[in-house]
Amino acid sequence: MWRSGVWWMAVAGAFSGSVLGQQFPAKLIRVVNPAAPGGNSDVFFRLLQPKMTEFLGQQLVFDYRAGGGGTIGGEIIAKSAPDGYTVGLVAASFVINPSLIRKMPYDTVKDFTALGLIVDVPSGLVLHPSLPVKNVKELIALAKSRPGQLFASSSGRATVGHMSLELFNAMGGTKVVHVPYKGAGPAIIDLVAGHVQLQFSSLPLVSGHVQQGRIKLIAQTGDKRAGFAKDIPTMIEAGMPGYVVSSGFSFIGPAGIPRAIGERLNQALVTSLRDPANRKFLLEQGAEPVGSSLDEHETYIKSEVAKWIKVVKQAGIEPQ
């Protein structure tokens, strides 16, 4: 009798969750964006919004909460009711921040529900043509022979470009000097001008310069080659086993969202990402559509947070 009772409770719970998922949503959904309008996250999600709205039968309304390196918007998401009606869209800084900010207003791993990795924007290792190297192994050898004499620009401290360099230094045993700029534009301009020698940059931002020969692309940082750069090796293929940097944009909600509601939100995201027109546009922009499951996304967040904490410690960077 006891076993049959447990079985019945399990069946009832599953049925209840299924009904809950089918009934959701009954009102509009707020999407918190911890960045200003006009950035990549805004472009990506506005593209996906119509199909997600169509799937869910309710509007998704944007709420921009920029500031604090993304932590202001992140805190709003974390402290919202876990009913699925407040969700968020976050960039790679979401998983980098715990390694660099001493007092976070939330726990990145525990205080959120992973709803799906949206896209991965691949980065690449680009060099000024004057640097006498053709591949990653030659660059490491040159950097080791000139410790502290090679300079790499980035769009700022704690950005993906900065962290990519620190991981390169840690894994390669090199001492390439980081030069932070106020934005990607100035950082790329000085690389093209030869004021710095290299950069880990978002591929869509530098592809034009690469095609015109102003800079040279020797490797990309994803775990596989990007669709629009099939002839360029990954860092792993180029001789750095385990080197992977993902610039992922994540769909998240506060911790405690019922599984059935989380699955429905995830299905809306995946359906929109699979739309041929949406997929074509993202690929043309240099963004690789992902659409991971809830469990895959949760694993991704945990592993990325742990990785960057380790990299920052190895680099001797003091959290602020």
Side-chain angles (χ1 to χ4, degrees), residues 39 296 305 315:
E296 289 169 341
V305 168

Side-chain angles (χ1 to χ4, degrees), residues 9-252:
M9 288 173 64
V11 171
F15 178 75
S16 175
S18 175
V19 171
L20 183 63
Q22 291 172 6
Q23 293 175 341
F24 174 87
K27 58 182 181 180
L28 61 81
I29 298 169
R30 177 172 68 150
V31 182
V32 176
N33 188 343
N40 276 338
S41 57
D42 195 30
V43 172
F44 296 150
F45 211 77
R46 284 195 179 280
L47 171 72
L48 301 174
Q49 181 189 25
K51 285 293 180 181
M52 292 183 69
T53 293
E54 181 182 316
F55 180 91
L56 294 168
Q58 289 288 346
Q59 287 291 326
L60 289 86
V61 179
F62 290 87
D63 184 0
Y64 299 96
R65 299 299 182 100
T71 59
I72 291 175
E75 186 175 13
I76 291 171
I77 299 167
K79 293 183 177 180
S80 297
D83 54 11
Y85 290 103
T86 296
V87 294
L89 174 66
V90 291
S93 57
F94 179 69
V95 292
I96 293 174
N97 282 338
S99 64
L100 293 165
I101 299 176
R102 195 179 303 279
K103 292 184 179 180
M104 290 283 290
Y106 49 77
D107 186 311
T108 303
V109 172
K110 296 179 180 179
D111 291 344
F112 298 92
T113 297
L115 298 173
L117 191 59
I118 304 169
V119 294
D120 180 21
V121 181
S123 296
L125 173 52
V126 289
L127 315 177
H128 188 267
S130 64
L131 208 60
V133 301
K134 299 186 295 292
N135 53 52
V136 172
K137 288 184 178 179
E138 290 182 3
L139 175 62
I140 292 173
L142 181 66
K144 284 183 174 180
S145 71
R146 301 182 189 175
Q149 297 178 41
L150 296 184
F151 298 87
S153 60
S154 84
S155 57
R157 184 182 184 276
T159 59
V160 173
H162 177 201
M163 291 295 97
S164 298
L165 173 65
E166 297 300 351
L167 182 60
F168 176 81
N169 279 333
M171 294 183 67
T174 56
K175 293 182 179 179
V176 178
V177 179
H178 176 231
V179 184
Y181 285 72
K182 293 182 178 179
I188 294 170
I189 288 172
D190 266 15
L191 173 65
V192 171
H195 300 311
V196 294
Q197 289 77 45
L198 61 116
Q199 182 183 127
F200 286 89
S201 178
S202 170
L203 287 180
L205 294 178
V206 296
S207 60
H209 294 296
V210 171
Q211 291 168 4
Q212 294 172 20
R214 297 192 185 106
I215 54 179
K216 53 186 178 182
L217 173 64
I218 64 170
Q220 48 187 314
T221 66
D223 60 351
K224 60 182 179 180
R225 299 187 185 192
F228 65 99
K230 287 292 188 182
D231 57 333
I232 304 299
T234 65
M235 293 291 285
I236 294 173
E237 293 170 332
M240 294 194 79
Y243 187 107
V244 176
V245 174
S246 170
S247 183
F249 288 79
S250 293
F251 189 35
I252 60 171

Side-chain angles (χ1 to χ4, degrees), residues 267-281:
Q267 289 166 8
L269 172 67
V270 172
T271 298
S272 188
L273 284 169
R274 288 177 178 171
D275 176 75
N278 287 350
R279 184 174 178 82
K280 181 175 182 291
F281 177 85

